[in-house]
Amino acid sequence: MSSCQRVARPITRSLQQSHVSHISPFALGRAFSQSAARKDEVPPSTTSAPAAEPVPSPASTAASPSEPKAPSGVDRDTVTAYWAERRLIKQGTPPVGSRRRRAAIKTSENIPFEQLPYQAFQEARKILQEDRQEKLRALQSTLASIKKLEETPADQLPGGERKKNMRLTSLRAHVEELKILADINDPIVKRKFEDGLGDMNKPIYRHLAEKKWRGYPFRLITQRIEQLNIVPDVLPKFEPTVDVQMYFRQDKVEPGEILPSLVTEKPPRLKVQVFNSGERLMSVVVMDSDVPNAETDSFDRRCHYLAANVPISPDQPSLPLSKVNKETQLAVPWLPAFSQMGAPYHRLSVFILEQKPGETLDIAKLKELYSARDGFSLKSFRDKFGLNPVGFNIFRTVWDEGTAGVMERAGVPGANIQFKHKRVYSLKGEKKQRGWEVKRQKPKYKSLWKYTHRIRGLPRYKGRKLD
Amino acid sequence: MRLSQLHRPVVAAASTGAARPAAPRLLQDAFAALRIRGAAPANTTANVNVEGRRYASVKSQGMYRLRDSATIPKKMGAKKTGDSFVIPGNIIYKQRGTIWFPGENVGMGRDHTLFAKVQGYVKYYKDPLRHPDRQYIGVVFDKNDTLPTPPHAMRRRKLGMTATEVKAAPALPELSPSGIPNQVVREGFGRAPHPRDQRVYKLQQDGSYSYREENWRLGSLIRTEKRKMGSRRVAMRHRRRKSKAILLEMRRDREDKIARRKEALDEQRAARQKRIREYLARQKASKTADGSVGSPKQSPPTVQA
């Protein structure tokens, strides 16, 4: 029995009992379909007053449908069948939460938090509500003091302009903190975030998302940056602050994975999740930092993709590289990742660079500079246009069966080139060969030639038969 | 020399401070003769024995040191000095534990032996940014390069490879010079055989006129990799995958069967229709023939032997 079911068992039992005892099934169903906590459409706003206790009104109950249905008629809150889940994913409305949770919701009654029969739980909710009230009061008072401070001229304050600005910034930081603290203990907020339904324009959901990202994905990506030597090779210093996920053919790839060349033939879709408010313009660079160069006996770099002026905001994270505007955003079109036979793996790093606020890059200039692709330097690109690298992801590629076809379709020559390790000769001198057979190779021992084999590296004397 | 004999001058020196007995007088005199300087006062006679000492110039060479013949010499220590040229695989340092750590382009074996990973020059160095106390051995490509490399600088790398053009293997002709096919392909069973079940038999080139599967194809028949015994979740995934594969196979078989049945039915139907068509054509022909003759009445078709 799952934990959800275990939790729900006493409720269902009590409901069944009450159901048989006095309440009619119709009335019961209506009361619970109310479910303010479940469909809590009142967004947890930071500045407004706390959500009032739901007053069930029969009219609104009758008007609102019981659950938001997907266009296919499959409920994304309670779907458990594989085919239905797949259909929902195809439609772009993925099912909510885990399958286990959905099954639990399906089999249990839909009871809002306010009506749950757990006394300790209800007491705890009261405490949390009080705490929220307190935070909201603090927020109002801080906002008032900010306003007051802004209105006061700097020469009337101790410390002058500098002190005033310092105080204002610290107060604003405190406001942001209070906004998060007011909502952080709200179970509905927590559930909404876990279901992926949180509004990223609200500071609390951004805070939760960043906390989640800093947990494992951030550590993973920083480890990849270090292990794959991105930091000294591509950039001298780099710390990502933005979550970048990469999807090839709708499949999410782990950072640093070695991908088949057929998969990487088409450009990926990125999901760039920023954790601070507002829309900003970003540049996207995909570069290969391991292009082998046999003439110079070293590695070159190559630009595989370059786009600029891509708007990204917290609630608009999707960035399909194939869908950027050809005129205003795309500078260097996608070149499939490829690696020649025998060459060590290529690291293809995807960088998201933040442009200066309110500044757009000149695509024509970018095209002129980087259309050649070869010898691309991210460092110089960053310095030339005043960009700030914020996001990173990486995949690797090696020669495989599909690479020759990929290179042919992309019009890249060199599919028939193979790289081989240079022969390294031993530092020790040649040793004279020794042994009975070696000694008897000379014509002096002609009579013994029938018993000896010819030895490689020694001359074949006249009269010796082929063997 | 026995231990008691070795102790004797010390005993003598100790006894001189107190009363000097008559018996060891002889020894005292002998030491006095050995002394370089003249006779010392009585209170300094204690140091005298220590002063007159030969330096261990001979023994310090290790000539007389007894080696432990019961053990095998391990031959630890540096095998390459600083700035010496090495190639990949050359052993630079042998040690017990990590007295030296592997630095740039240097690897460490399972007994902590340090070896070169590239062709270059050995450098012994310390890298306080990496670790405050550790000492490293690295290999640089250029003799003038120094280690450690400055922080945030690009790594010095060499490809160490040559680019060669791959020549496509000449296609095998369909028939061998003796007129028999060079290879025979045997498909799997069923209507839509799986490519996995395809077998390719090649004509042997040793003049035996026999056909044989290539070794790599034979090898691919055997599953060598073991299932990863991990968590229950992994096991469950494998189970599911297996049952799904079986299900698909069954479904494929079923569809195959249905299709075969349908094909047979279609064939039958086609044959029947063909027969009817032929019959009608015959009818028509006979009708026209009869019409020309002038008998409109047509007898029902009779089976002709």
Side-chain angles (χ1 to χ4, degrees):
Chain A
M1 186 184 269
S2 74
S3 57
C4 291
Q5 282 171 325
R6 210 178 301 143
V7 167
R9 189 158 58 162
I11 312 162
T12 47
R13 196 172 290 162
S14 69
L15 282 172
Q16 278 158 3
Q17 283 165 0
S18 60
H19 174 256
V20 285
S21 58
H22 50 97
I23 307 173
S24 75
F26 177 68
L28 186 79
R30 205 169 66 170
F32 288 142
S33 70
Q34 179 69 27
S35 88
R38 155 64 49 79
K39 285 176 279 136
D40 155 71
E41 299 311 330
V42 184
S45 58
T46 51
T47 46
S48 68
E53 289 295 313
V55 185
S57 69
S60 69
T61 315
S64 65
S66 65
E67 283 293 332
K69 293 261 178 179
S72 62
V74 184
D75 188 357
R76 57 189 295 223
D77 280 318
T78 55
V79 62
T80 48
Y82 291 93
W83 61 268
E85 281 175 13
R86 241 175 290 133
R87 187 194 280 177
L88 280 176
I89 289 166
K90 256 186 196 167
Q91 281 166 354
T93 50
V96 174
S98 69
R99 187 178 298 133
R100 178 179 292 196
R101 184 178 168 283
R102 288 194 298 272
I105 286 173
K106 201 182 193 174
T107 51
S108 67
E109 293 292 332
N110 192 1
I111 307 167
F113 281 166
E114 295 79 38
Q115 296 170 22
L116 279 177
Y118 303 117
Q119 196 180 355
F121 178 73
Q122 298 298 353
E123 292 303 318
R125 280 189 69 242
K126 267 180 211 158
I127 291 171
L128 291 181
Q129 288 285 0
E130 273 166 32
D131 179 62
R132 185 182 148 80
Q133 292 301 326
E134 198 181 291
K135 292 288 162 9
L136 288 178
R137 279 195 296 276
L139 189 65
Q140 275 170 354
S141 71
T142 319
L143 284 172
S145 61
I146 285 180
K147 201 178 173 194
K148 201 173 141 198
L149 195 65
E150 273 172 343
E151 279 162 1
T152 326
D155 50 349
Q156 288 179 17
L157 288 165
E161 186 70 35
R162 187 179 143 273
K163 195 86 182 201
K164 182 188 169 184
N165 285 340
M166 265 170 68
R167 191 145 169 69
L168 273 176
T169 46
S170 81
L171 277 173
R172 281 184 190 128
H174 187 52
V175 162
E176 291 303 312
E177 197 187 355
L178 284 174
K179 275 182 190 172
I180 288 162
L181 285 177
D183 285 329
I184 198 143
N185 291 320
D186 194 342
I188 296 163
V189 166
K190 193 165 155 50
R191 181 165 70 187
K192 269 195 151 186
F193 174 71
E194 281 170 8
D195 289 350
L197 302 173
D199 181 6
M200 281 296 165
N201 283 327
K202 298 209 166 67
I204 177 68
Y205 291 112
R206 285 202 305 269
H207 169 80
L208 290 173
E210 179 162 22
K211 212 173 146 195
K212 195 179 171 192
W213 179 64
R214 294 269 170 191
Y216 180 75
F218 171 74
R219 287 184 214 172
L220 181 75
I221 200 77
T222 43
Q223 194 192 40
R224 293 291 176 273
I225 289 168
E226 197 198 328
Q227 282 177 332
L228 297 173
N229 294 103
I230 296 300
V231 151
D233 283 359
V234 181
L235 282 177
K237 235 180 196 180
F238 176 54
E239 174 103 326
T241 53
V242 161
D243 183 16
V244 182
Q245 294 168 17
M246 187 163 48
Y247 297 80
F248 277 105
R249 295 177 168 183
Q250 283 104 38
D251 285 337
K252 186 178 170 182
V253 293
E254 287 283 301
E257 228 178 303
I258 295 182
L259 295 174
S261 51
L262 285 174
V263 168
T264 56
E265 195 174 2
K266 293 272 174 295
R269 182 171 67 84
L270 300 184
K271 206 176 145 197
V272 182
Q273 182 63 59
V274 291
F275 303 115
N276 45 2
S277 61
E279 194 186 72
R280 78 245 28 215
L281 294 180
M282 299 278 206
S283 301
V284 188
V285 174
V286 181
M287 66 171 292
D288 181 350
S289 44
D290 298 298
V291 183
N293 190 339
E295 280 101 65
T296 57
D297 194 17
S298 63
F299 294 91
D300 291 346
R301 287 158 302 185
R302 188 200 295 136
C303 177
H304 276 252
Y305 182 88
L306 178 59
N309 311 330
V310 184
I312 296 285
S313 57
D315 59 334
Q316 296 288 330
S318 183
L319 168 51
L321 295 191
S322 53
K323 297 273 172 66
V324 299
N325 193 317
K326 297 271 186 315
E327 277 78 45
T328 57
Q329 292 174 338
L330 186 65
V332 180
W334 176 258
L335 176 73
F338 61 88
S339 166
Q340 280 153 318
M341 199 193 288
Y345 65 71
H346 290 230
R347 296 166 293 168
L348 276 104
S349 28
V350 180
F351 275 96
I352 304 290
L353 299 105
E354 193 174 350
Q355 291 168 212
K356 279 179 187 162
E359 211 174 82
T360 54
L361 301 191
D362 185 9
I363 294 299
K365 199 185 172 194
L366 287 181
K367 276 182 184 166
E368 183 199 326
L369 280 171
Y370 301 117
S371 286
R373 290 181 192 270
D374 288 330
F376 177 79
S377 166
L378 187 76
K379 212 172 136 219
S380 102
F381 175 59
R382 179 197 66 179
D383 295 340
K384 208 169 271 177
F385 297 97
L387 304 169
N388 178 26
V390 287
F392 176 76
N393 208 320
I394 190 171
F395 66 95
R396 289 181 286 171
T397 186
V398 290
W399 169 270
D400 53 34
E401 297 89 56
T403 310
V406 167
M407 287 172 83
E408 197 195 328
R409 284 191 287 280
V412 181
N416 58 343
I417 299 289
Q418 186 183 7
F419 282 90
K420 285 180 178 171
H421 281 286
K422 270 186 196 162
R423 173 86 195 266
V424 182
Y425 291 93
S426 171
L427 295 177
K428 289 176 184 164
E430 282 272 309
K431 249 188 180 173
K432 203 183 157 191
Q433 288 184 318
R434 295 171 6 166
W436 186 88
E437 258 183 326
V438 175
K439 216 170 165 184
R440 281 152 186 83
Q441 295 284 314
K442 287 181 183 167
K444 187 185 168 188
Y445 296 98
K446 211 170 188 174
S447 57
L448 291 175
W449 276 0
K450 58 186 171 186
Y451 301 120
T452 59
H453 293 287
R454 220 176 76 69
I455 288 171
R456 192 157 180 264
L458 292 182
R460 186 185 339 176
Y461 293 100
K462 204 180 165 189
R464 175 136 203 186
K465 267 190 278 179
L466 279 169
D467 52 338
Chain B
M1 197 183 266
R2 266 191 242 151
L3 203 66
S4 55
Q5 281 174 307
L6 279 171
H7 279 306
R8 203 165 285 162
V10 184
V11 172
S15 59
T16 46
R20 196 178 285 178
R25 177 66 57 85
L26 264 172
L27 198 69
Q28 287 290 319
D29 291 347
F31 273 117
L34 282 172
R35 237 175 278 149
I36 299 160
R37 272 182 285 170
N43 58 349
T44 55
T45 42
N47 300 335
V48 164
N49 299 330
V50 189
E51 260 178 21
R53 183 179 55 183
R54 287 177 67 177
Y55 291 107
S57 57
V58 180
K59 286 189 178 169
S60 70
Q61 304 293 318
M63 207 59 206
Y64 298 134
R65 200 171 65 203
L66 292 179
R67 289 183 188 282
D68 190 355
S69 57
T71 58
I72 308 163
K74 303 295 185 295
K75 304 189 177 175
M76 299 290 155
K79 306 296 164 206
K80 297 281 175 199
T81 57
D83 288 351
S84 47
F85 180 75
V86 285
I87 61 169
N90 274 10
I91 289 175
I92 302 171
Y93 204 94
K94 266 181 166 288
Q95 55 189 344
R96 286 278 168 272
T98 45
I99 298 167
W100 291 87
F101 280 82
E104 241 172 71
N105 300 321
V106 167
M108 185 158 69
R110 50 153 218 193
D111 63 346
H112 305 106
T113 297
L114 302 182
F115 59 92
K117 291 211 280 196
V118 297
Q119 188 171 315
Y121 299 89
V122 176
K123 298 281 171 187
Y124 289 72
Y125 65 101
K126 281 203 166 202
D127 193 351
L129 288 177
R130 215 161 139 199
H131 197 277
D133 333 308
R134 286 185 182 173
Q135 40 189 9
Y136 295 93
I137 300 178
V139 172
V140 291
F141 296 112
D142 194 358
K143 203 167 190 173
N144 300 324
D145 286 346
T146 52
L147 285 175
T149 45
H152 313 310
M154 263 178 77
R155 285 186 303 162
R156 289 188 285 247
R157 291 197 291 162
K158 267 190 182 177
L159 179 62
M161 285 177 152
T162 50
T164 50
E165 205 164 314
V166 185
K167 288 187 184 68
L172 204 65
E174 187 86 351
L175 292 178
S176 72
S178 52
I180 56 173
N182 261 323
Q183 70 169 27
V184 177
V185 179
R186 192 173 289 170
E187 299 292 343
F189 296 104
R191 254 174 60 83
H194 198 275
R196 180 190 59 206
D197 298 331
Q198 194 187 56
R199 295 266 173 281
V200 178
Y201 300 90
K202 295 240 165 159
L203 180 65
Q204 294 302 101
Q205 299 298 320
D206 54 3
S208 64
Y209 292 101
S210 61
Y211 289 91
R212 188 173 162 275
E213 263 182 299
E214 285 152 305
N215 280 342
W216 69 268
R217 285 186 203 275
L218 283 175
S220 70
L221 293 176
I222 302 163
R223 215 183 96 183
T224 49
E225 82 270 22
K226 210 174 134 191
R227 180 167 76 74
K228 214 171 189 180
M229 295 299 288
S231 57
R232 287 173 55 234
R233 180 186 286 266
V234 171
M236 183 192 72
R237 204 180 299 145
H238 274 278
R239 228 163 32 234
R240 283 212 176 135
R241 205 173 288 165
K242 211 162 123 187
S243 58
K244 197 177 170 189
I246 291 170
L247 204 87
L248 283 175
E249 186 117 28
M250 281 169 69
R251 185 179 293 169
R252 214 166 31 238
D253 282 357
R254 206 160 52 236
E255 277 165 5
D256 182 34
K257 200 172 165 186
I258 291 166
R260 258 186 288 136
R261 193 176 295 158
K262 191 167 169 284
E263 233 168 49
L265 282 174
D266 284 352
E267 226 168 75
Q268 280 180 17
R269 194 176 300 139
R272 205 185 311 133
Q273 279 178 352
K274 196 183 163 199
R275 251 184 289 137
I276 290 169
R277 242 181 286 121
E278 278 171 8
Y279 166 71
L280 287 176
R282 256 185 285 125
Q283 282 281 35
K284 208 175 174 186
S286 65
K287 198 190 263 177
T288 48
D290 288 353
S292 62
V293 171
S295 82
K297 199 85 175 156
Q298 186 61 45
S299 63
T302 51
V303 180
Q304 288 164 6

